[in-house]
Amino acid sequence: MANYYLDIKNGNVGSGGPHSDYILGQGKYEYKKDEVAHTGDNLPQWAKDSTEFFKLADENERGGSENNICKGRSYREIVISLPHELSLEQNKELVDDFIKKELGEKYYYSFSLHDKESNYKGEVQNIHAHIMFSQREIDGIERSSDKFFKQANSKNPERGGCRKNNEWNHKEKLKELRKDWEVIQNKHLEKAGIEITVSCETLEKQKEIAIQKGDESLAKTLERDPINCAGYILQKIKEGTSLS
């Protein structure tokens, strides 16, 4: 059964460069390189790679932002679980579709698909994606690396940095993102001929909807604990290791 998971996280100033290394399986995280199945990015010409870009964000954000709403934040990260029913190529297309809708050419970003063994029933492959992006919205004005991350100037945009889009700070944006991920994932599952769907709703809400539709069989299957795909349950546990 396909699973659904989406979370959006804040990246504090100072953690951007190291976290980029982490999702790409490089530097001190080279031990993870075998699980990195695919990478991609949309970066400015002045950044040779995503780690350099997010290191510059760490250095130049300086712990502040417009209206102090994004204080201390050098990046955002979207983490999504991908359906193991799809092939790697199909999951690449799925993530590309999602990024095109949510980020497009409006933001600088880097992403990585991780594919590794899961501990869940010994059957489910833990394939997921990390999408790091700058909350500063590209406005078409050419800026140097040291200027891009400066405070925006609303009256004279060319004199300041790119403005941070504060919609990403609101719960409504997360709800929108979660619904989009449901719709896009289901579209790709249907395209692959897989007769299952996922939902962004809680199991309790899904059960309520199933009962309203008179589908008692489905309602019964929803009487279970949720699977936390980002937690320890999907990590490969060595034999004899305690989960406590």
Side-chain angles (χ1 to χ4, degrees), residues 43-70:
L43 298 171
Q45 292 183 351
W46 39 261
K48 66 180 180 181
D49 55 32
S50 64
T51 298
E52 180 182 41
F53 176 80
F54 289 111
K55 279 183 178 178
L56 286 167
D58 288 337
E59 293 168 5
N60 291 286
E61 289 289 357
R62 300 185 185 280
S65 67
E66 299 91 78
N67 301 320
N68 290 321
I69 294 178
C70 310

Short mmCIF file of all heavy atoms in Angstrom, two decimals, residues 43-70:
data_model
loop_
_atom_site.label_atom_id
_atom_site.label_comp_id
_atom_site.label_asym_id
_atom_site.label_seq_id
_atom_site.Cartn_x
_atom_site.Cartn_y
_atom_site.Cartn_z
N LEU A 43 20.09 26.70 -9.52
CA LEU A 43 20.99 27.55 -8.75
C LEU A 43 21.47 28.74 -9.58
O LEU A 43 21.49 28.68 -10.81
CB LEU A 43 22.21 26.74 -8.29
CG LEU A 43 21.94 25.57 -7.34
CD1 LEU A 43 23.20 24.74 -7.15
CD2 LEU A 43 21.43 26.07 -5.99
N PRO A 44 21.88 29.82 -8.93
CA PRO A 44 22.41 30.99 -9.64
C PRO A 44 23.80 30.68 -10.20
O PRO A 44 24.49 29.75 -9.74
CB PRO A 44 22.47 32.06 -8.56
CG PRO A 44 22.66 31.29 -7.29
CD PRO A 44 21.84 30.05 -7.46
N GLN A 45 24.23 31.47 -11.17
CA GLN A 45 25.53 31.25 -11.79
C GLN A 45 26.68 31.41 -10.81
O GLN A 45 27.74 30.80 -10.98
CB GLN A 45 25.71 32.20 -12.98
CG GLN A 45 24.78 31.89 -14.14
CD GLN A 45 25.02 32.81 -15.33
OE1 GLN A 45 25.77 33.78 -15.23
NE2 GLN A 45 24.41 32.49 -16.45
N TRP A 46 26.50 32.23 -9.77
CA TRP A 46 27.60 32.47 -8.85
C TRP A 46 27.76 31.38 -7.80
O TRP A 46 28.66 31.44 -6.95
CB TRP A 46 27.45 33.82 -8.14
CG TRP A 46 26.07 34.23 -7.74
CD1 TRP A 46 25.23 35.09 -8.40
CD2 TRP A 46 25.36 33.83 -6.55
NE1 TRP A 46 24.06 35.25 -7.72
CE2 TRP A 46 24.11 34.50 -6.58
CE3 TRP A 46 25.66 33.00 -5.48
CZ2 TRP A 46 23.15 34.33 -5.58
CZ3 TRP A 46 24.72 32.82 -4.47
CH2 TRP A 46 23.48 33.49 -4.54
N ALA A 47 26.95 30.36 -7.84
CA ALA A 47 27.10 29.23 -6.92
C ALA A 47 27.50 27.99 -7.71
O ALA A 47 26.75 27.54 -8.58
CB ALA A 47 25.80 28.97 -6.17
N LYS A 48 28.68 27.44 -7.44
CA LYS A 48 29.15 26.28 -8.20
C LYS A 48 28.34 25.02 -7.88
O LYS A 48 28.24 24.11 -8.71
CB LYS A 48 30.63 26.03 -7.93
CG LYS A 48 30.96 25.62 -6.50
CD LYS A 48 32.45 25.39 -6.31
CE LYS A 48 32.77 24.97 -4.87
NZ LYS A 48 34.22 24.77 -4.66
N ASP A 49 27.77 24.96 -6.68
CA ASP A 49 26.92 23.83 -6.31
C ASP A 49 26.01 24.26 -5.16
O ASP A 49 26.11 25.37 -4.64
CB ASP A 49 27.75 22.60 -5.92
CG ASP A 49 28.75 22.87 -4.81
OD1 ASP A 49 28.46 23.72 -3.93
OD2 ASP A 49 29.83 22.24 -4.81
N SER A 50 25.12 23.37 -4.76
CA SER A 50 24.14 23.74 -3.74
C SER A 50 24.76 23.96 -2.37
O SER A 50 24.30 24.80 -1.60
CB SER A 50 23.05 22.66 -3.64
OG SER A 50 23.58 21.44 -3.20
N THR A 51 25.81 23.21 -2.05
CA THR A 51 26.45 23.40 -0.76
C THR A 51 27.04 24.81 -0.65
O THR A 51 26.91 25.47 0.39
CB THR A 51 27.55 22.35 -0.52
OG1 THR A 51 26.94 21.04 -0.50
CG2 THR A 51 28.26 22.58 0.80
N GLU A 52 27.66 25.28 -1.73
CA GLU A 52 28.19 26.64 -1.72
C GLU A 52 27.05 27.65 -1.58
O GLU A 52 27.16 28.63 -0.83
CB GLU A 52 28.98 26.94 -2.99
CG GLU A 52 29.55 28.35 -3.01
CD GLU A 52 30.30 28.69 -4.29
OE1 GLU A 52 29.82 28.30 -5.38
OE2 GLU A 52 31.35 29.34 -4.19
N PHE A 53 25.95 27.42 -2.28
CA PHE A 53 24.82 28.34 -2.21
C PHE A 53 24.29 28.46 -0.79
O PHE A 53 24.08 29.56 -0.26
CB PHE A 53 23.69 27.86 -3.14
CG PHE A 53 22.44 28.70 -3.06
CD1 PHE A 53 22.36 29.91 -3.74
CD2 PHE A 53 21.36 28.29 -2.30
CE1 PHE A 53 21.21 30.69 -3.65
CE2 PHE A 53 20.21 29.05 -2.21
CZ PHE A 53 20.13 30.26 -2.89
N PHE A 54 24.08 27.31 -0.12
CA PHE A 54 23.51 27.36 1.22
C PHE A 54 24.53 27.79 2.27
O PHE A 54 24.16 28.32 3.32
CB PHE A 54 22.87 26.02 1.57
CG PHE A 54 21.59 25.78 0.78
CD1 PHE A 54 21.54 24.80 -0.21
CD2 PHE A 54 20.48 26.56 1.00
CE1 PHE A 54 20.38 24.60 -0.96
CE2 PHE A 54 19.31 26.37 0.26
CZ PHE A 54 19.26 25.38 -0.72
N LYS A 55 25.82 27.61 2.00
CA LYS A 55 26.85 28.16 2.88
C LYS A 55 26.82 29.69 2.81
O LYS A 55 26.95 30.38 3.83
CB LYS A 55 28.23 27.65 2.47
CG LYS A 55 28.57 26.27 3.00
CD LYS A 55 29.98 25.88 2.61
CE LYS A 55 30.35 24.50 3.16
NZ LYS A 55 31.72 24.09 2.74
N LEU A 56 26.62 30.22 1.60
CA LEU A 56 26.52 31.67 1.44
C LEU A 56 25.27 32.20 2.15
O LEU A 56 25.28 33.30 2.72
CB LEU A 56 26.48 32.03 -0.05
CG LEU A 56 27.81 31.90 -0.78
CD1 LEU A 56 27.61 31.96 -2.30
CD2 LEU A 56 28.78 33.00 -0.35
N ALA A 57 24.21 31.41 2.12
CA ALA A 57 22.99 31.80 2.85
C ALA A 57 23.29 31.84 4.34
O ALA A 57 22.88 32.77 5.05
CB ALA A 57 21.87 30.81 2.56
N ASP A 58 24.02 30.84 4.83
CA ASP A 58 24.40 30.82 6.25
C ASP A 58 25.19 32.07 6.64
O ASP A 58 25.00 32.65 7.70
CB ASP A 58 25.28 29.59 6.54
CG ASP A 58 24.50 28.29 6.52
OD1 ASP A 58 23.27 28.33 6.72
OD2 ASP A 58 25.12 27.23 6.32
N GLU A 59 26.10 32.47 5.75
CA GLU A 59 26.99 33.59 6.04
C GLU A 59 26.31 34.95 5.92
O GLU A 59 26.66 35.89 6.63
CB GLU A 59 28.19 33.55 5.09
CG GLU A 59 29.10 32.36 5.30
CD GLU A 59 30.10 32.18 4.17
OE1 GLU A 59 30.13 33.06 3.26
OE2 GLU A 59 30.83 31.18 4.18
N ASN A 60 25.33 35.04 5.03
CA ASN A 60 24.76 36.36 4.72
C ASN A 60 23.37 36.63 5.29
O ASN A 60 22.96 37.80 5.37
CB ASN A 60 24.71 36.55 3.20
CG ASN A 60 26.10 36.70 2.60
OD1 ASN A 60 26.74 37.74 2.74
ND2 ASN A 60 26.57 35.65 1.95
N GLU A 61 22.65 35.61 5.68
CA GLU A 61 21.33 35.86 6.28
C GLU A 61 21.49 36.55 7.63
O GLU A 61 20.65 37.32 8.04
CB GLU A 61 20.54 34.56 6.43
CG GLU A 61 20.05 33.96 5.12
CD GLU A 61 18.93 34.76 4.48
OE1 GLU A 61 18.48 35.77 5.08
OE2 GLU A 61 18.51 34.41 3.37
N ARG A 62 22.56 36.25 8.33
CA ARG A 62 22.93 36.90 9.59
C ARG A 62 21.83 36.87 10.66
O ARG A 62 21.74 37.75 11.50
CB ARG A 62 23.34 38.36 9.33
CG ARG A 62 24.53 38.48 8.39
CD ARG A 62 24.96 39.92 8.27
NE ARG A 62 26.02 40.06 7.28
CZ ARG A 62 27.30 39.79 7.51
NH1 ARG A 62 27.67 39.35 8.71
NH2 ARG A 62 28.21 39.94 6.56
N GLY A 63 20.98 35.89 10.58
CA GLY A 63 20.01 35.70 11.66
C GLY A 63 18.85 36.67 11.66
O GLY A 63 18.12 36.75 12.63
N GLY A 64 18.63 37.42 10.58
CA GLY A 64 17.52 38.37 10.56
C GLY A 64 16.82 38.38 9.22
O GLY A 64 17.31 37.83 8.25
N SER A 65 15.66 39.00 9.17
CA SER A 65 14.92 39.09 7.91
C SER A 65 13.85 40.17 8.03
O SER A 65 13.65 40.76 9.08
CB SER A 65 14.26 37.76 7.59
OG SER A 65 13.26 37.49 8.54
N GLU A 66 13.14 40.39 6.91
CA GLU A 66 12.08 41.39 6.93
C GLU A 66 11.03 41.05 7.98
O GLU A 66 10.55 39.93 8.06
CB GLU A 66 11.40 41.47 5.55
CG GLU A 66 12.32 41.86 4.43
CD GLU A 66 12.97 40.66 3.75
OE1 GLU A 66 12.31 40.01 2.95
OE2 GLU A 66 14.14 40.38 4.06
N ASN A 67 10.70 42.03 8.82
CA ASN A 67 9.68 41.90 9.85
C ASN A 67 10.01 40.82 10.88
O ASN A 67 9.17 40.42 11.67
CB ASN A 67 8.31 41.59 9.22
CG ASN A 67 7.89 42.66 8.25
OD1 ASN A 67 8.09 43.84 8.49
ND2 ASN A 67 7.30 42.24 7.13
N ASN A 68 11.26 40.31 10.85
CA ASN A 68 11.71 39.27 11.78
C ASN A 68 10.89 38.00 11.71
O ASN A 68 10.94 37.16 12.60
CB ASN A 68 11.69 39.79 13.23
CG ASN A 68 12.77 40.83 13.46
OD1 ASN A 68 13.88 40.70 12.96
ND2 ASN A 68 12.43 41.86 14.21
N ILE A 69 10.13 37.82 10.62
CA ILE A 69 9.29 36.63 10.50
C ILE A 69 10.13 35.39 10.24
O ILE A 69 9.82 34.30 10.70
CB ILE A 69 8.25 36.82 9.37
CG1 ILE A 69 7.27 37.92 9.78
CG2 ILE A 69 7.49 35.54 9.09
CD1 ILE A 69 6.22 38.24 8.75
N CYS A 70 11.21 35.55 9.49
CA CYS A 70 12.05 34.40 9.15
C CYS A 70 13.39 34.49 9.84
O CYS A 70 14.41 34.08 9.30
CB CYS A 70 12.25 34.33 7.63
SG CYS A 70 10.74 34.43 6.68
#
